[in-house]
Amino acid sequence: MFIVFNKQKIYSYLVAFSTVVALFLFAFTMMQNSQNTIVTSSSNKELPIYNVATKEKKIALTMNCAWNADDIDSILETLNKNEVKITFFVVGDWAQKYPEAVKKIDKAGHEIGNHSNTHPHVNNLSNEENIKQVQECSEKIKSITGKQTVLYRAPYGEYNNTVIRAAKSASHLPIQWNLDTLDYTGLTGKEMWARLEQKLKEGSIILTHNGTKHTADSLDMILKNIKQAGYQVVTVSELIYQDNYIIDSNGTQKLQ
C-alpha cells in the first residue's frame, strides 16, 4: 500500500505541475500577443509625401525661403523665362521681413507653401506648439497675399507623428522631397544637376533654396536640363493627388 500510495501521490503531483506549466505557457503567449499588438499599433509612423507614383512625366520643383531675399527677382525672372511655376515654401518670419518678395512670388503665379513661422526644430515641440507654428506662418502669408496656405514643409526636413498630425489638424498637407540639390552647401550648378540627373523620374519632388551661393545662377540650366530629359515642371499641388490616395512606407503617394 505504501508504494501504491506514493505512486499515486507522485502522479497527482505531475498532473498538477503539468497543469500549472500549461497555464503559464498560455498566459505567457497571450501576454506576448498583447505586447506585439501594442507595439505594432504604436509604431505606425506617419509620413509626409516624398514623391508621387505617376506615369505622367511631371516633377515638382520646390524652393524653401528662410534666409535673405536678394535673389528673388533673379529667380522669378528665370522661372518666367522658362515658363514654369513652382512651389515656394516660405517661413513666416521671412514673409514678415520680406513682404514685397512674397507679393512678387504670388503675383507671378507661383504656389506658396508654409515652412513654419520661425524655422525651429519641430521634433522638439509639442502638438500645440507645432500647430501654432503652422497657423502663425499661414496668417502672415495670408495677410500679404490674401490666400490661405494648404501645404506644409517642416524645417530641416524633420518630422514625427506629432509634427505630421499637427500639420493635418491645422488643415495642411505635409510635403517632403525625394531629391535634394544640396544647393545650401555651395554646390555649383553642374554638381547640383549631377545629383539629379540619374535619379530624376516621374513624380519627383526636388528641394532647392533661395539665398544660396549658386541656386539663382544655376536655375536656368537646371530647368532646361529637366525639360530636355522630357519632364514638365509643375507645382506640388499640380503633382499630388487630392483624394483617394495612400502614402506607402517610402513616403510615395499612390492612388488607392
Side-chain angles (χ1 to χ4, degrees), residues 51-59 200-204 229-232 234 238-241 252-255:
N51 63 322
V52 178
T54 178
K55 294 182 180 179
E56 294 185 288
K57 297 206 74 172
K58 294 181 178 180
I59 64 95
L200 195 64
K201 65 178 184 178
E202 295 87 346
S204 292
Y231 295 96
Q232 178 186 358
V234 298
E238 290 174 314
L239 181 69
I240 62 175
Y241 302 115
T252 300
Q253 186 195 39
K254 300 178 177 179
L255 283 175

Side-chain angles (χ1 to χ4, degrees), residues 15 31 70 82 91-92 94 109 128 150 178 184 250:
V15 171
M31 181 179 69
D70 298 344
N82 284 275
V91 172
W94 188 90
E128 291 73 19
V150 295
N178 68 309
Y184 59 91
N250 294 315

Side-chain angles (χ1 to χ4, degrees), residues 124-158:
N124 299 329
L125 303 183
S126 67
N127 179 67
E128 291 73 19
E129 290 169 328
N130 269 288
I131 291 174
K132 186 177 180 181
Q133 282 287 325
V134 178
Q135 290 178 336
E136 290 187 351
C137 175
S138 186
E139 289 168 3
K140 288 179 179 179
I141 293 172
K142 186 177 181 181
S143 70
I144 298 169
T145 66
K147 300 173 183 176
Q148 190 80 38
T149 56
V150 295
L151 303 179
Y152 176 65
R153 173 170 286 166
Y156 308 106
E158 292 182 352

